[in-house]
Amino acid sequence: TPARWAGFVRRYRSEMSEPAVSQTLDVLAALSKTTDFAVGCYCEDEAHCHRSVLRELLAQRGASIA
């Protein structure tokens, strides 16, 4: 449901803002400038998958996203 998805996104973003995780996202964003990498999972609907939120978080850090 939209409410469950919004709750998931809120919790996921909270987890990703923890210092060690945030630092890892910064490193991945920096690496994306010189190295290609992919993130995959088994979710059928990317619009309701952590990948879409992760992409946003990396983009906010200036990652190169293809």
Side-chain angles (χ1 to χ4, degrees):
T1 66
R4 288 183 67 201
W5 173 246
F8 170 81
V9 170
R10 186 176 53 256
R11 289 187 306 277
Y12 187 77
R13 286 180 172 275
S14 176
E15 290 175 16
M16 292 299 176
S17 69
E18 293 177 11
V21 179
S22 182
Q23 186 176 33
T24 300
L25 293 176
D26 289 339
V27 169
L28 289 173
L31 284 172
S32 75
K33 307 281 187 196
T34 59
T35 304
D36 292 336
F37 62 89
V39 175
C41 73
Y42 297 102
C43 296
E44 290 183 29
D45 181 5
E46 184 181 349
H48 291 101
C49 175
H50 69 283
R51 287 176 301 179
S52 62
V53 183
L54 180 57
R55 179 184 298 115
E56 290 174 9
L57 293 170
L58 289 170
Q60 290 169 356
R61 289 170 164 76
S64 295
I65 298 174

